[in-house]
């Protein structure tokens, strides 16, 4: 089930869109402020963000600037502005699409699906020549070889595979582990070190990269 974060302070805008997305089998979270969105995304992974430009606390463009320091999650802008300059700015900052209010919720859902479909061949490493993720069997294969992984290692590597190029903070990966044994962020470093060691004989340890001071990501060209 794809997950979407809606960032909009107007219930009359957000609620119909939430309903349309949920009816189309999306998992939806709604926040009203830019700071709330950044805090949520620091700990939770979503597939796409619907971001209003005119938020009460932060300009939507400023939210995207901060977000792009650690994440390449797709972003669809919502705005009441008709100015072409704003649309161009949003796209140049790294937005993926731009919808002007008022809009049809069904159209926005269609645009979201189009974005996810467009990015999937390049942004999903779950089934490629290098990687194969078998979620039902809780196995990951690299270059045709099944990796022997602990529960936490499987969860971390699965998240990286599903979002290649996206930087995950230690806090996010710790939440993904969801284990009583992993109570400190430094335990994430240990899991990454072990994963790299298990990939080393297959010449794959460098595919899990470090963004200094932030966290880890899977090289997007490792597909």
């Amino acid at each position: 089930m794809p997950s979407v974060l809606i960032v909009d302070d107007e219930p009359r805008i957000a609620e119909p869109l939430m309903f349309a997305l949920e009816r189309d089998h999306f998992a939806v979270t709604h926040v009203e402020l830019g700071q709330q969105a950044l805090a949520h995304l620091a700990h939770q992974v979503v597939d796409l963000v619907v971001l209003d430009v005119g938020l009460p606390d932060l300009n939507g463009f400023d939210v995207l600037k901060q977000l792009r320091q650690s994440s390449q999650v797709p972003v669809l802008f919502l705005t009441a502005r008709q100015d072409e300059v704003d649309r161009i700015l949003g796209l140049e900052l790294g937005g993926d699409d731009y919808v002007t209010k008022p809009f049809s919720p069904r159209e926005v859902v269609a645009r979201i699906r189009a974005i996810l479909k467009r990015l999937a061949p390049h942004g999903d490493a779950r089934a490629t020549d290098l990687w194969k993720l078998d979620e039902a069997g809780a196995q990951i294969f690299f270059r045709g070889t099944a990796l022997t992984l602990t529960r936490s290692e499987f969860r971390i590597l699965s998240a990286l595979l599903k979002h290649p190029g996206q930087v995950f903070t230690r806090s996010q990966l710790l939440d993904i582990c969801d284990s009583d044994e992993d109570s400190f962020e430094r335990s994430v470093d240990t899991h990454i070190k072990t994963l790299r060691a298990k990939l080393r004989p297959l010449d794959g340890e460098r595919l899990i990269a470090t963004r200094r001071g932030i966290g880890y990501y899977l090289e997007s060209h490792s597909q």
Side-chain angles (χ1 to χ4, degrees), residues 92-161:
E92 287 183 344
L93 287 173
D96 295 87
D97 203 351
Y98 204 104
V99 177
T100 304
K101 301 175 184 179
F103 55 79
S104 161
R106 291 179 61 186
E107 178 189 353
V108 175
V109 172
R111 286 175 178 261
I112 289 171
R113 285 213 172 274
I115 292 171
L116 295 178
K117 183 177 180 180
R118 183 175 73 243
L119 296 179
H122 307 288
D124 193 332
R126 281 175 281 187
T128 68
D129 292 340
L130 283 182
W131 301 97
K132 179 183 177 183
L133 171 58
D134 177 8
E135 292 188 278
Q139 280 192 305
I140 296 176
F141 298 81
F142 181 70
R143 299 189 192 277
T145 299
L147 302 174
T148 303
L149 304 174
T150 66
R151 177 175 177 270
S152 293
E153 290 166 0
F154 175 79
R155 289 193 167 199
I156 289 173
L157 189 53
S158 295
L160 296 176
L161 283 170

Side-chain angles (χ1 to χ4, degrees), residues 10 51-56 58-62 77-90 93 98-103:
E10 297 182 79
L51 178 59
D52 184 26
V53 172
L55 297 170
L58 293 176
N59 183 293
F61 298 140
D62 292 331
F77 277 114
L78 300 180
T79 182
R81 304 176 184 178
Q82 301 287 338
D83 195 334
E84 182 183 36
V85 174
D86 285 336
R87 294 198 298 273
I88 293 173
L89 177 60
L93 287 173
Y98 204 104
V99 177
T100 304
K101 301 175 184 179
F103 55 79

Side-chain angles (χ1 to χ4, degrees), residues 4-34:
V4 173
L5 174 65
I6 298 176
V7 191
D8 195 298
D9 64 312
E10 297 182 79
R12 65 182 181 84
I13 296 293
E15 290 175 3
L17 182 54
M18 290 175 63
F19 176 76
L21 284 164
E22 289 171 348
R23 186 174 57 186
D24 211 35
H25 308 294
F26 283 85
V28 186
T29 302
H30 173 225
V31 298
E32 297 185 351
L33 302 176

Side-chain angles (χ1 to χ4, degrees), residues 130-205:
L130 283 182
W131 301 97
K132 179 183 177 183
L133 171 58
D134 177 8
E135 292 188 278
Q139 280 192 305
I140 296 176
F141 298 81
F142 181 70
R143 299 189 192 277
T145 299
L147 302 174
T148 303
L149 304 174
T150 66
R151 177 175 177 270
S152 293
E153 290 166 0
F154 175 79
R155 289 193 167 199
I156 289 173
L157 189 53
S158 295
L160 296 176
L161 283 170
K162 292 176 183 178
H163 302 273
Q166 176 174 329
V167 179
F168 287 79
T169 65
R170 290 181 176 86
S171 177
Q172 286 177 319
L173 292 174
L174 191 62
D175 289 341
I176 288 168
C177 288
D178 190 28
S179 169
D180 293 337
E181 298 177 0
D182 299 303
S183 55
F184 300 99
E185 291 188 1
R186 286 299 174 186
S187 63
V188 171
D189 297 336
T190 301
H191 289 314
I192 293 293
K193 182 178 180 180
T194 305
L195 282 169
R196 286 170 171 163
K198 291 178 178 181
L199 290 168
R200 187 171 298 121
L202 303 171
D203 195 27
E205 76 275 14

